[in-house]
Amino acid sequence: MSERFHDITVSVNGEEVRESVDARTTLVDFLRETAGLTGSHVGCEHGVCGACTVRVDGAVVRGCLMLAVQCDGARVDTIEGVADSGEITDLQQAFVARNALQCGFCTPGMLLSAQELLTAGGVPSREAIRAHLSGNYCRCTGYQAIVDAVEAVAKARAGVAP
Ligand code: FES
Ligand code: FES
């Protein structure tokens, strides 16, 4: 009979976390319930809404579609770590300035996905921004202000006049 619990070591926002986890525990549940990092949200739980978005070894993933045991030895960055490091301060400020959030449920995932796009550099078109964020559902804003905010940050980072 295979083991149900597994010892894993994960770097979460740069801090080592050692835990014994149930094989079926998802990464987002591990982050929220074991690591106490509730910025990653749980919405659809089947890879559609993007609320659970986090980074694993630098790549944006769905936290509900990965198991915690798959992250043994990996570096996981959550919205808490990315925000605390200052990496997305300009993006957070742009979201606030342009009312790009209402309930905020989608916002952590939206910010991480937007940062992924912005990290590629240049100034993406509004269509490219919409396409990139199409995997992150927002039920409140209608997306216009979100696209405005991401576009404004892209221009600012590229040194292009708004
Ligand atoms: S909760 Fe993971 S994509 Fe919706
Ligand atoms: S701000 Fe409410 S779901 Fe996006």
Side-chain angles (χ1 to χ4, degrees):
M1 196 170 76
S2 60
E3 293 285 331
R4 177 172 166 183
F5 288 88
H6 301 264
D7 294 332
I8 63 170
T9 303
V10 185
S11 169
V12 181
N13 299 326
E15 288 189 22
E16 186 175 282
V17 177
R18 291 174 181 267
E19 278 295 334
S20 178
V21 295
D22 193 324
R24 64 184 177 179
T25 300
T26 63
L27 173 58
V28 70
D29 283 345
F30 169 75
L31 291 170
R32 289 177 58 84
E33 295 166 16
T34 303
L37 296 167
T38 55
S40 306
H41 295 158
V42 179
C44 66
E45 295 186 81
H46 62 276
V48 175
C49 74
C52 61
T53 300
V54 294
R55 291 199 305 224
V56 176
D57 289 335
V60 164
V61 302
R62 305 289 208 211
C64 70
L65 294 185
M66 277 194 82
L67 297 171
V69 292
Q70 292 177 286
C71 297
D72 186 25
R75 178 186 172 105
V76 177
D77 292 296
T78 70
I79 189 63
E80 290 91 344
V82 175
D84 287 351
S85 73
E87 180 186 333
I88 58 166
T89 300
D90 54 354
L91 198 52
Q92 291 174 289
Q93 290 171 341
F95 267 55
V96 171
R98 294 169 184 273
N99 292 320
L101 66 153
Q102 290 179 30
C103 77
F105 191 81
C106 70
T107 309
M110 197 69 79
L111 289 168
L112 282 168
S113 291
Q115 175 65 359
E116 179 187 42
L117 175 65
L118 292 171
T119 301
V123 180
S125 66
R126 292 180 69 84
E127 292 71 26
I129 295 170
R130 283 187 181 277
H132 191 83
L133 298 179
S134 63
N136 291 81
Y137 287 9
C138 178
R139 294 160 183 80
C140 303
T141 65
Y143 296 92
Q144 190 74 15
I146 292 173
V147 176
D148 289 346
V150 175
E151 183 181 41
V153 173
K155 287 181 176 176
R157 289 188 187 181
V160 174

